[in-house]
Amino acid sequence: MVGDEESIGVVLNRLRRAHGQLAGVISMIEQGRDCKDVVTQLAAVSSALDRAGFKIVATGFRECMTGEQSKDSEPMTIDQLEKLFLALA
């Protein structure tokens, strides 16, 4: 992923949080915890993943609009960015 260090850090933190939350959900299921508690935590995992995905798309959009591309990547079209955004919806 190309982007400024701050954006990359935000995405990585969200993904690490989601990773920990997912491990917690697995543990809760193994322990036979209440369905309501499991679903609440599963929703938190989903939200964390969505936020990470949206941050990645937003960073890609900003890079596309400002011309800040990595040397190895081709510029993304608006249609490609739209498809990425809709994949998260």
Side-chain angles (χ1 to χ4, degrees):
M1 177 178 146
V2 177
D4 59 85
E5 293 296 318
E6 182 180 345
S7 294
I8 292 170
V10 168
V11 169
L12 288 174
N13 284 339
R14 287 182 177 155
L15 291 174
R16 287 184 183 111
R17 185 179 311 124
H19 184 262
Q21 289 171 321
L22 184 56
V25 169
I26 292 168
S27 177
M28 291 171 74
I29 291 171
E30 290 172 343
Q31 295 170 5
R33 297 277 301 270
D34 184 60
C35 175
K36 178 183 152 198
D37 296 335
V38 172
V39 171
T40 299
Q41 285 303 309
L42 197 53
V45 173
S46 179
S47 178
L49 292 174
D50 286 345
R51 287 178 179 267
F54 286 129
K55 184 67 173 179
I56 291 169
V57 171
T59 300
F61 183 72
R62 184 178 60 238
E63 290 168 358
C64 180
M65 297 281 96
T66 61
E68 297 174 15
Q69 300 286 320
S70 76
K71 297 173 188 172
D72 299 334
S73 68
E74 294 185 30
M76 293 181 70
T77 66
I78 297 298
D79 288 341
Q80 290 171 321
L81 286 168
E82 182 180 324
K83 285 180 183 178
L84 285 175
F85 180 78
L86 291 174
L88 294 170

